[in-house]
Amino acid sequence: MIIRAVDFVQLTDTGRERRTNEDNAFAEAPLFAVADGMGGARGGEVASGIVVETLNGGMPDGVPPEAGLAELTREANHRIHQQATSDAERSGMGTTLTAAYVGDGEVAFAHVGDSRAYRFRDGELEQLTEDHSLVGELVRRGKLTPQQAEEHPQRSVITRALGPEGSVQVDSFSVGAQPGDVFLLCSDGLTSMVPVDTMDDILREADSLDAAAHRLIDAANENGGRDNITVVLFRIEGVPEAADTDADQPTVVGETAPTAEEVDAARAAEADPPPRRTAPLPRRPEPEAPRKPRRGRRVASLLAALTIVVLIGVGAWIGSRAVFFVGTNSNGIVTVYRGLPFELPGGIHLYENYYTSGVPASELAAERRKRILDHRLRSKSDASDLVRKLELGQVGG
């Protein structure tokens, strides 16, 4: 049995007390990560962004997943430290990193800081990482209980991060995985606001990973939302080895901005059905009474209609993974969405939250708001750059 992460979601929110979001996330199966940045002059956002850029380069060739993740982590640390020491405005910037790679029968991790990884199995949520923080160290030494640590005034002081030093100690390990396991990566904006028991209940009761991610972030905001909140969830499923024709899940790297023509081409390519495998000829059936032509035509029409619906659905799914648009969330905050700005009957969305800015739409002039929040399909870089410039006040009239 080969395991894969075939269902996953990433979601981030600025929270209720921050103006900007310094968190970043990466979710391109089989590689997933959460990075919680820190530092003035938007340095935290830069640091966590460097982590995502590094992960976009893909896993190193010829090394086991654990070692590969550790190597990527050290590379990100070097890049962040180099920029922090060469740019006075970025001095002291850093970020946490909790990364996971779904491999052969297990999930490998690399971890630095106080973001966390959990495994949800058989209705129980288990923390897999140890916080590299002051209170985390006091808990390990028996000076504080986990409950006391949650309320400690210095619980946000971390003892290890990417960037501040030229080298960093990386926790790397692997855990077993089986079909049905759900893994959660999150920043401390979630764990400092939501008790583990509540997180457990949400994962147990949610109908889907998307619903669970939204409920986790809502719970953090309802409890104060004092920090940025980022959640990555992925579910493990098994694929029989004999049926697996593409066991490796290559990490998508170096994404370039897709054009409308490329999206259409992707839809058309996905719509082409795969060639049928040759099967033994069936035995000749006994002669049957002739069927009425009308019934045969009706069945053929139904099959044709069903095929068209399936192809449209596949094309819509391909399109929803390749394009982005800018709108507002339920709180009126300018947000980047991945997918198509449509909702199907039954409340099914063809889009997901990709990045929540710190800019309320109400602060924009009417003309600017109309121009920016037009739901026009964009590339990832185009949508992200637009919103980031908006946060910096660089978008003109």
Side-chain angles (χ1 to χ4, degrees):
M1 178 76 71
I2 295 173
I3 63 166
R4 286 183 173 179
V6 295
D7 184 14
F8 55 90
V9 61
Q10 70 177 67
L11 197 61
T12 188
D13 190 89
T14 306
R16 291 188 171 179
E17 296 189 5
R18 299 293 181 92
R19 291 279 302 170
T20 60
N21 193 339
E22 295 187 316
D23 286 0
N24 261 296
F26 186 90
E28 295 289 352
L31 181 58
F32 305 90
V34 164
D36 179 359
M38 68 204 89
R42 303 182 69 85
E45 182 181 347
V46 172
S48 62
I50 290 174
V51 166
V52 171
E53 291 173 3
T54 304
L55 296 177
N56 256 320
M59 292 282 281
D61 293 330
V63 297
E66 249 185 69
L69 283 179
E71 184 176 328
L72 284 178
T73 304
R74 287 188 288 268
E75 179 184 345
N77 179 76
H78 173 73
R79 294 177 60 187
I80 296 167
H81 181 71
Q82 192 172 45
Q83 185 162 338
T85 54
S86 62
D87 183 348
E89 290 189 354
R90 309 296 190 204
S91 178
M93 73 175 180
T95 182
T96 70
L97 173 61
T98 301
Y101 183 91
V102 181
D104 185 12
E106 60 185 13
V107 179
F109 290 90
H111 170 67
V112 176
D114 64 350
S115 296
R116 291 181 182 176
Y118 293 86
R119 179 177 59 193
F120 183 70
R121 174 184 289 179
D122 298 330
E124 297 294 333
L125 188 62
E126 175 190 3
Q127 183 175 334
L128 302 175
T129 53
E130 291 186 344
D131 293 349
H132 300 142
S133 65
L134 177 62
V135 296
E137 185 61 31
L138 292 175
V139 169
R140 285 188 286 276
R141 294 181 181 182
K143 304 295 185 181
L144 289 176
T145 67
Q147 292 72 27
Q148 291 171 329
E150 296 298 331
E151 302 297 328
H152 198 282
Q154 293 179 305
R155 62 185 178 276
S156 61
V157 177
I158 63 175
T159 57
R160 203 186 302 179
L162 302 187
E165 304 293 337
S167 61
V168 66
Q169 182 180 349
V170 182
D171 286 357
S172 58
F173 59 94
S174 297
V175 300
Q178 61 188 36
D181 285 351
V182 172
F183 288 85
L184 164 66
L185 311 181
C186 59
S187 62
D188 71 330
L190 175 69
T191 54
S192 63
M193 293 285 101
V194 183
V196 173
D197 289 345
T198 302
M199 293 163 56
D200 193 316
D201 291 340
I202 289 173
L203 291 173
R204 187 182 302 112
E205 297 168 5
D207 296 330
S208 66
L209 294 189
D210 186 68
H214 280 89
R215 288 185 59 189
L216 287 169
I217 286 182
D218 288 345
N221 279 324
E222 289 166 4
N223 289 341
R226 291 194 295 267
D227 200 354
N228 306 145
I229 314 150
T230 299
V231 169
V232 170
L233 287 164
F234 59 93
R235 188 193 312 277
I236 300 298
E237 291 190 11
V239 180
E241 294 192 41
D244 185 76
T245 59
D246 186 17
D248 293 328
Q249 294 174 279
T251 302
V252 176
V253 298
E255 268 190 334
T256 55
T259 64
E261 291 77 10
E262 289 171 333
V263 173
D264 291 339
R267 291 177 178 174
E270 187 69 13
D272 290 333
R276 296 183 180 179
R277 296 175 179 172
T278 303
L281 292 174
R283 296 179 61 185
R284 183 187 297 272
E286 295 296 325
E288 297 180 359
R291 295 182 180 179
K292 295 181 179 180
R294 184 182 302 276
R295 183 178 178 185
R297 287 196 298 270
R298 186 180 305 156
V299 172
S301 297
L302 288 174
L303 289 175
L306 179 60
T307 300
I308 291 172
V309 170
V310 170
L311 294 179
I312 291 174
V314 170
W317 185 87
I318 290 294
S320 72
R321 307 302 296 175
V323 292
F324 297 73
F325 66 92
V326 179
T328 57
N329 64 13
S330 58
N331 295 320
I333 304 299
V334 176
T335 302
V336 177
Y337 294 93
R338 167 151 61 181
L340 304 173
F342 303 115
E343 182 175 332
L344 300 178
I348 300 174
H349 300 286
L350 294 181
Y351 57 88
E352 63 185 14
N353 185 308
Y354 180 75
Y355 173 77
T356 303
S357 75
V359 181
S362 59
E363 293 185 0
L364 303 178
E367 274 303 313
R368 183 183 296 180
R369 184 164 59 245
K370 180 179 179 182
R371 178 166 55 87
I372 292 175
L373 307 178
D374 58 1
H375 289 185
R376 180 168 66 87
L377 296 183
R378 305 171 183 269
S379 69
K380 180 171 73 172
S381 60
D382 181 30
S384 299
D385 288 348
L386 174 63
V387 172
R388 292 178 193 275
K389 288 179 181 178
L390 186 65
E391 291 179 319
L392 293 170
Q394 297 175 349
V395 177

